[in-house]
Amino acid sequence: MACGGLMSAPVCLIENDENGKLHVKKEGKEILDGIHEPVVVVSVVGLYRTGKSYIMNRLAGQQSGFALGSTIESKTKGIWMWCVPHPNIKGHTLVLLDTEGLGDVDKGNEKHDTWIFCLAVLLSSTLVYNSLGVIDNMALEKLHYVTELTENIRVKAEVNQDEAGSTDFMRVFPSFVWAVRDFTLELKRGDKLITSDEYLEGSLKLKPGSSSQAEQYNLPRRCLRQFFAVRKCFVFPRPASTQNMRRMEKLTEKELDSEFLEQAKTFCCYIYNNAEPKTVTGGKTVTGTALGNLAEVYVEAIRSGKVPCLENAVVSLAKIQNVRAVEEAMQLYMIEMLNMPRLPMRPEELSDIHKIAEKKATEVFITMSFNDNDQMYHQELMGKIHNEYQDMCQQNHEASRSQCEEVREEVFVSLEKCFSDGSYLKPGGYQQYRDTLTQLTSDYRAKTHSQIMSEEVLSKYLKAKEEAGKMILQADQSLSAVEQEKEAQRLKNEILEQQKRSIEEQNQLQEQAFKDMQRTHNEHVNQIISQMEKEQERMRRDNERVLDAKLKEQGALLHQGFQQDASRMQREIESLKADMNKQETSQRSTLSKVVDGIGTAATFLLPGFIPKAVGLGMSWLSKLF
Ligand SMILES: Nc1nc2c(ncn2[C@@H]2O[C@H](COP(=O)(O)OP(=O)(O)OP(=O)(O)O)[C@@H](O)[C@H]2O)c(=O)[nH]1
Ligand SMILES: [Mg+2]
């Protein structure tokens, strides 16, 4: 069972401000901001005083938490939230949203209830509708909020609302669970025992005919059937005696009705095992941070008198999330890099640290980013990481240079002394100078062989001493003119040789940088492709779920003699299939755009990179399709 590991008690997420308008509470938003893992969001809605908060506490695995009231006055105001570690899915958070009871006449603001209902639908991946008694016509009439969903929620920004098909809603709406409380009847039809799901589906059967009465009767049923692809029903008996129910939070399990406990357990298990992680259009999984931003975007639309639109919300969310994703990924990269041992270090070591830091940063970016299909933000991140890494490499060079210079000063001190007191300026002095120089050069190399700037520092030193060497040579009267010329040439060659070594050293560094870049590209493409595959898989599953529901619905309509509705359903099925084909094609082009995008960024950062990048990208694409 879940326990309140993330939060010891629920907090308010959305409530009315002093002007009577909804707003997102800072405390709730901050808690969501800190949750970087995907969230499974379960919300409960229903008439006031029907035990909603109580059932949510059970889902949290706690006896108390969401406040209950034992009087007739409605208790919960706005939307309250409790985030607990998901009991079944590792690395996921279960977000429970308890909402204000609907239909309290004292409230005097009918629209407020409508928005609470809409927000519960928009923010959750599973919506629990809670009611007392039985599922009869009255219960369905009280659920009139579903009939208003199309007026109060837009799926697409451009489409005329009248044209928005139920498919669009079905694809983005949560799954639906009806929790019937204080259910006292036997689940039987005729002599046959039926399941609670059959009970619900039976209650959603349409009435034949086109009279306004039939239309009115059918409307909420049609809406539930058309908007919610997955529907479940649980019936609960009364949990305890009237006396005991006034102190529900204090009742031990023994004091609760055993059948109620059994049902509550089945209900919780169903939610833990079946409630899906929250996604938005395009199969993108929503993290806690994204959920907080999403709540803000929707509430802002409602505050400003607009109809919340899912497509617009995803665009706003993408921008907020992507800017944050770059910032947080960069922060993580810097923390990792600054934790490394002191510079200088071997470039391979630095490269390994960079590799780990970059992998972690990219992971953070990928989980947080949203719809970055043209890779704009990803390229920005790559550029920033590249610049930081270059900077770090530069610092490593400088640190190595200064250590080599220290060693050089220490090693060549005796040579410098002889230069300054002129002790080589004598016959035979040149040979002495040569011997000392050879010995000290070898001592220097022994001490700096692991340093990246060793040869460059030596090269600069020898070049600076070229003139001094020539003077010593010229002053050495023991050498013949021919020997002098030969030695002068040798000195020159040695300087050139040393310069060559230094260039080779620098080339090796360049090569390392190139390898890093290539590896970075490969890794980015791999990470993005695996993330996109997950999203596409989720989108495919969502589509299939909707298609299945539509085929089932069409069968039921035909069976019940609703020819016209069945034909309309057929058209919807065909258009959904066409949509699914279109999505497959566009997914392929998005993938090649991603590979291109990263390749372009790589070329921009490191000239000469493109041929390999394109080659890699192509091989990935051919592997996938
Ligand atoms: N009859 C009945 N009462 C219940 C049940 N579960 C809880 N209660 C009691 O009903 C009262 C209201 O419970 P809450 O969980 O606060 O109900 P709510 O729907 O959250 O109420 P609001 O927040 O006011 O909308 C409390 O005294 C609970 O102990 C149930 O299954 N049946
Ligand atoms: Mg409540």
Side-chain angles (χ1 to χ4, degrees), residues 123-141:
L123 295 176
S124 63
S125 49
T126 292
L127 178 80
V128 179
Y129 180 69
N130 191 70
S131 75
L132 278 184
V134 287
I135 306 181
D136 57 9
N137 200 36
M138 212 151 71
L140 277 151
E141 273 174 6

Side-chain angles (χ1 to χ4, degrees), residues 471-580:
M471 266 172 60
I472 295 168
L473 180 61
Q474 279 162 13
D476 195 339
Q477 301 299 321
S478 68
L479 295 170
S480 68
V482 178
E483 279 170 333
Q484 286 240 356
E485 197 160 316
K486 212 175 110 201
E487 282 304 316
Q489 192 54 44
R490 192 156 87 154
L491 274 180
K492 218 166 151 184
N493 287 347
E494 273 176 3
I495 300 275
L496 286 175
E497 186 62 29
Q498 181 55 36
Q499 277 172 349
K500 223 170 95 193
R501 278 183 191 230
S502 164
I503 289 169
E504 262 166 30
E505 189 180 65
Q506 294 312 306
N507 280 348
Q508 270 174 14
L509 290 176
Q510 281 292 325
E511 212 172 295
Q512 179 75 41
F514 183 80
K515 274 192 203 147
D516 286 343
M517 196 68 197
Q518 197 173 3
R519 193 191 48 209
T520 295
H521 173 263
N522 296 2
E523 218 143 73
H524 284 187
V525 173
N526 266 338
Q527 278 173 303
I528 286 185
I529 285 180
S530 97
Q531 175 74 7
M532 286 178 86
E533 277 178 331
K534 270 193 227 146
E535 284 167 5
Q536 289 171 4
E537 178 50 33
R538 178 66 200 260
M539 192 148 80
R540 227 170 271 151
R541 267 198 296 140
D542 280 351
N543 278 330
E544 270 156 21
R545 185 172 53 110
V546 173
L547 187 61
D548 265 7
K550 295 221 168 253
L551 287 166
K552 227 165 78 191
E553 180 71 4
Q554 190 192 28
L557 288 167
L558 278 172
H559 185 69
Q560 291 160 30
F562 289 91
Q563 280 296 344
Q564 243 183 351
D565 288 69
S567 311
R568 185 179 40 79
M569 194 56 68
Q570 180 58 33
R571 286 195 296 278
E572 283 183 23
I573 289 169
E574 275 158 21
S575 123
L576 175 60
K577 281 183 179 165
D579 253 20
M580 284 163 82

Side-chain angles (χ1 to χ4, degrees), residues 44 46-57 66-77 98-102 104 130 132 180-183 236-240 244-249 251 260:
V44 68
L47 296 196
Y48 71 113
R49 315 273 66 217
T50 50
K52 297 184 294 301
S53 301
Y54 179 75
I55 202 82
M56 289 310 252
N57 285 341
F66 288 114
L68 316 184
S70 56
T71 70
I72 50 158
E73 277 174 64
S74 65
K75 182 79 184 172
T76 311
K77 299 286 173 220
D98 182 22
T99 65
E100 178 171 335
L102 309 169
D104 178 5
N130 191 70
L132 278 184
V180 190
R181 316 287 288 274
D182 293 0
F183 187 79
F236 303 78
R238 272 172 80 86
N244 270 346
M245 277 200 311
R246 297 206 180 101
R247 48 177 200 100
M248 279 287 265
E249 283 166 301
L251 293 186
F260 173 85

Side-chain angles (χ1 to χ4, degrees), residues 315-425:
V315 173
S316 309
L317 190 60
K319 197 161 172 226
I320 302 170
Q321 287 285 121
N322 290 335
V323 170
R324 273 280 297 274
V326 173
E327 267 171 28
E328 294 212 357
M330 230 18 239
Q331 241 174 41
L332 186 71
Y333 177 81
M334 290 310 290
I335 290 171
E336 289 282 321
M337 290 304 276
L338 294 174
N339 265 345
M340 68 188 170
R342 259 161 51 90
L343 295 176
M345 60 176 71
R346 293 204 332 277
E348 307 88 80
E349 268 178 279
L350 183 59
S351 163
D352 284 347
I353 295 172
H354 156 74
K355 182 182 158 192
I356 294 167
E358 186 176 47
K359 191 160 189 271
K360 287 188 181 170
T362 313
E363 272 164 14
V364 163
F365 174 81
I366 287 177
T367 37
M368 280 192 77
S369 68
F370 234 81
N371 276 16
D372 185 27
N373 291 340
D374 52 7
Q375 299 298 302
M376 203 173 88
Y377 291 93
H378 194 192
Q379 283 179 19
E380 185 185 327
L381 175 67
M382 278 174 75
K384 283 188 166 168
I385 288 184
H386 180 79
N387 289 345
E388 281 301 336
Y389 180 48
Q390 288 299 303
D391 214 39
M392 213 64 88
C393 289
Q394 196 53 40
Q395 282 177 35
N396 197 32
H397 294 177
E398 291 314 320
S400 170
R401 189 195 309 278
S402 79
Q403 275 197 3
C404 290
E405 279 171 356
E406 259 174 49
V407 175
R408 188 212 63 208
E409 251 171 57
E410 191 190 296
V411 169
F412 287 92
V413 68
S414 56
L415 191 80
E416 288 295 324
K417 194 170 172 294
C418 292
F419 277 146
S420 58
D421 61 20
S423 43
Y424 292 132
L425 301 173

